[in-house]
Amino acid sequence: VNFEALQQENPDIFAWLYVPGAGIDAPVLQSGITDDFYITHTADGKEGEAGALYTEMANLMNMCDFNTIIHGKDLAEEEPFFNLHNFENPDFFEKNREFYIYLPSFVRLTVRHS
């Protein structure tokens, strides 16, 4: 992930979320203006109904909080978390147990669901 190029496009980009098998491969943002900014703005910072993946301002951008929730819309195909509904299928759930979060410091966090 080329964070330098991404942050030139939008400095609010601080991480990248990759969910193999679910088609989720997108930047994670955090607004310095308001927690709900990326509900109505896309990753390029422009207004858009699909929104973007984002965390709240209270969360540390190095992902060192005890809990960090990545928010995103999931009701329509063009929305960033729509494909999370694949995990409602028990077979898909069992076969896709890892999520990856990449940070600019070349850290890759692997998250396993149980």
Side-chain angles (χ1 to χ4, degrees):
V1 177
N2 185 343
F3 282 103
E4 187 175 314
L6 289 169
Q7 289 172 339
Q8 285 178 3
E9 181 182 328
N10 186 341
D12 288 347
I13 296 172
F14 75 94
W16 192 273
L17 176 64
Y18 172 54
V19 184
I24 297 170
D25 195 14
V28 180
L29 300 96
Q30 187 177 92
S31 170
I33 299 169
T34 179
D35 284 333
D36 61 1
F37 182 81
Y38 286 105
I39 290 174
T40 57
H41 290 77
T42 58
D44 59 8
K46 297 178 183 171
E47 283 192 45
E49 283 300 311
L53 302 180
Y54 66 95
T55 62
E56 296 178 3
M57 293 166 50
N59 289 118
L60 298 172
M61 290 190 283
N62 62 6
M63 303 297 276
C64 288
D65 290 307
F66 185 74
N67 288 310
T68 299
I69 298 172
I70 299 175
H71 301 273
K73 293 181 179 180
D74 71 337
L75 298 178
E77 267 187 65
E78 65 276 359
E79 294 177 344
F81 270 162
F82 179 76
N83 287 338
L84 285 182
H85 291 284
N86 293 336
F87 287 96
E88 295 168 1
N89 176 321
D91 290 332
F92 186 89
F93 185 89
E94 285 302 317
K95 292 176 184 171
N96 296 277
R97 299 186 75 66
E98 295 182 343
F99 295 31
Y100 301 95
I101 299 171
Y102 297 91
L103 301 171
S105 59
F106 301 107
V107 172
R108 180 183 87 178
L109 304 172
T110 303
V111 181
R112 290 182 164 226
H113 65 75
S114 52

